[in-house]
Amino acid sequence: KLADAGISSINGTNMIDIYKWLVDYYNTKKDDANTEKYLRLAENKYPDDLFWPSTRLDILREKGNKDSLWAEYDSITAKFPKNHLFLFNYGLELYQYANDTSSGHRPANYDTLIGKAQVELKACLALQPDYPQASLVLGQIYYNQAIDMQTATKKIPGKAPEDIKKRADLRIAAGKKFDEAIPYFEQVDKDLGSKGKLKMEEKSSLKDAYDLLTNIYTDKNIKDKIDYWTNKYNNVDKDH
């Protein structure tokens, strides 16, 4: 009754929690009509609270329609352009979906998804340059592109001059993608490597960055860099 009457405060006490309770209650009951009803009422009364957009994303994520989820993310990031977490989560989910091969293959629009993920992650870093998770995922995107190019060389087995050139060109392009990945992994080191005690998730991110840097320099056959990043990797648990 309070929500239906549009009550937002009583004697100076904010009533936002009744709206959150109703949204959660009807969402848990899978009552879409009432969930939407109270979401709309709540958004009208408390437009800047992040509970509503987060709930909308959760609902669409559970329903599984990715196009609807991406459209909602577009709407939310436009409404909250200064919220780096929405941008990061959008980029991360695009990246994860693009690389989901549980169906036996990548989505047909893989390149589009990855391109959009890069846009969102870079927007996140523009707002929050020292957000290591965004740097890590961006680095992984470029790293994966390099690996894809290296794999593609094996699908060109011929010995004709044009085949040899295609393989050489792919190896050069892969090297350039590795070069693009390096600054992002190094940024993770800058963000986390100089800290003391790290959370488990932060340790994992740091190890991933060091591991991939080691792989890159192994591919480039630069021994001092291999040793440097291997040593960093081996000491994460001790140092943090």
Side-chain angles (χ1 to χ4, degrees), residues 16-205:
I16 191 171
D17 284 341
I18 67 168
Y19 292 87
K20 289 183 178 180
W21 189 92
L22 286 165
V23 167
D24 184 64
Y25 173 76
Y26 285 115
N27 185 37
T28 300
K29 288 177 69 71
K30 308 300 180 187
D31 184 337
D32 293 347
N34 275 313
T35 300
E36 180 61 25
K37 171 186 174 180
Y38 289 107
L39 268 172
R40 287 186 179 277
L41 281 171
E43 287 167 333
N44 183 54
K45 293 293 178 184
Y46 310 96
D48 297 327
D49 196 281
L50 302 182
F51 182 82
W52 326 123
S54 296
T55 298
R56 288 192 178 280
L57 291 171
D58 288 342
I59 291 169
L60 290 170
R61 196 177 290 116
E62 186 175 345
K63 289 182 182 298
N65 186 316
K66 294 299 182 182
D67 288 338
S68 296
L69 180 62
W70 308 147
E72 189 64 33
Y73 260 122
D74 285 333
S75 174
I76 289 169
T77 53
K79 184 176 179 180
F80 300 96
K82 299 299 183 184
N83 187 298
H84 72 283
L85 289 176
F86 282 134
L87 292 165
F88 170 71
N89 289 334
Y90 191 6
L92 178 64
E93 289 198 61
L94 285 162
Y95 168 75
Q96 290 174 331
Y97 177 65
N99 286 283
D100 180 5
T101 56
S102 58
S103 63
H105 55 79
R106 287 172 169 173
N109 59 340
Y110 174 83
D111 290 337
T112 300
L113 291 166
I114 288 297
K116 180 65 172 170
Q118 288 173 295
V119 169
E120 301 305 323
L121 292 166
K122 287 178 180 179
C124 169
L125 287 176
L127 290 173
Q128 193 80 21
D130 59 348
Y131 194 65
Q133 287 81 5
S135 294
L136 178 63
V137 178
L138 270 168
Q140 287 171 327
I141 287 173
Y142 289 113
Y143 179 89
N144 290 343
Q145 289 171 337
I147 296 298
D148 286 345
M149 289 173 182
Q150 289 183 334
T151 302
T153 64
K154 298 173 184 176
K155 298 177 182 178
I156 309 172
K159 295 182 180 180
E162 58 268 26
D163 294 326
I164 294 171
K165 184 178 186 307
K166 284 178 185 176
R167 288 194 294 270
D169 288 345
L170 279 169
R171 291 190 190 100
I172 291 169
K176 289 179 179 178
K177 287 296 180 183
F178 280 143
D179 290 340
E180 289 184 84
I182 288 170
Y184 290 108
F185 294 142
E186 289 180 338
Q187 185 62 47
V188 177
D189 176 50
K190 289 176 185 175
D191 294 337
L192 299 175
S194 60
K195 287 185 175 181
K197 187 71 174 173
L198 295 176
K199 297 176 183 176
M200 202 54 113
E201 179 188 349
E202 292 174 323
K203 276 191 192 182
S204 178
S205 295

